[in-house]
Amino acid sequence: MPAVTVENPLTLPRVAAPAEAVARPVLTVTTAPSGFEGEGFPVRRAFAGINYRHLDPFIMMDQMGEVEYAPGEPKGTPWHPHRGFETVTYIIDGIFDHQDSNGGGGTITNGDTQWMTAGSGLLHIEAPPEALVMSGGLFHGLQLWVNLPAKDKMMAPRYQDIRGGNVQLLTSPDGGALLRVIAGELDGHQGPGITHTPISMIHATLAPGAEITLPWREDFNGLAYVLAGRGSVGAERRAIHTGQTAVFGDGGSLTVRADEKQDSHTPDLEVVLLGGQPIREPMAHYGPFVMNTKDELMQAFEDFQKGRLGTVPAVHGMSGEGPSEA
């Protein structure tokens, strides 16, 4: 980890918050519980226990792995439906294949992101390719769910395949951090991901002892999730480590710092920074559907059961009758 990197970050554009920016305080630091998803791959539930008013427009995020599979062990998810939101699948290490009931699909690997706007609904499946199942190997990624406002929930499904080589790469003034802007904008630098709900998604790698203070839109919330390593967040240097999420309060900048000493298997601090403009609409969420009302949820289940969200291609079989949460 990670897949997308550069030999000399000082060749990249540098970003830093202006001195007059108000630093965002750290409101909470929570630890993600571990579990299993789909056919049994290990996940950390990054947002478990965080009040939704701090997350909006984000719904949930799973860190998938990091796991070293033996031959025959790699797992994915069975066919399942979605409606009313967007899924963002970011693969740091390993390979994932995607297929949907509309005939779309593709392979993402080593720094690639697939942005799926489920909108009015579809069925899809995510799984490692057969070659990886046979050989085993490293797998590590994230899946983030981003809510859609009511006006967009029933839009036609859409895909964006964002290759690792297309992310916007930036650094801190001293070159101690590599910033990968996957979506949104940071200090005038635009990432490739196009979103219906204004957000920023950044994967930052900080060398031991490095610190970043980034400008942050004041109308966005602010979250930092640690993929690997140890460090601190905020001007108050609140300690944070692998599997923990920091929630920032109001302000115009946020700060993350890597500890001087990291674990032997984790040379740097790896952190995902998220910000978004809250939608502030009622949310009804159950399983794979995110709508505004209970009646809309019931309609989504009825449409799924009656095949209105699509059908599994004939060469595949539906794995179970009920929907999955993946």
Side-chain angles (χ1 to χ4, degrees), residues 1 41-44 61-67 88-94 96 108 111-112 138-144 201 225 227 272:
M1 180 171 58
F41 60 81
V43 298
R44 285 190 174 103
M61 186 168 73
D62 283 348
Q63 180 180 7
M64 305 180 295
E66 181 175 8
V67 58
V88 183
T89 306
Y90 173 48
I91 300 299
I92 300 166
D93 289 297
F96 233 26
I108 50 175
D112 297 340
L138 184 63
F139 182 81
H140 190 201
L142 285 176
Q143 187 169 92
L144 171 70
M201 180 179 181
Y225 176 74
L227 293 165
V272 174

Side-chain angles (χ1 to χ4, degrees), residues 30 46-61 144-147 199 221-223 245-247 274-279 283:
T30 59
F47 296 161
I50 300 174
N51 191 302
Y52 182 65
R53 65 189 174 90
H54 296 314
L55 299 176
D56 186 12
F58 306 110
I59 301 164
M60 59 157 274
M61 186 168 73
L144 171 70
W145 289 13
V146 185
N147 203 4
I199 73 164
N221 57 3
L223 303 163
T245 302
V247 175
L274 296 168
Q277 193 173 66
I279 296 174
M283 185 181 72

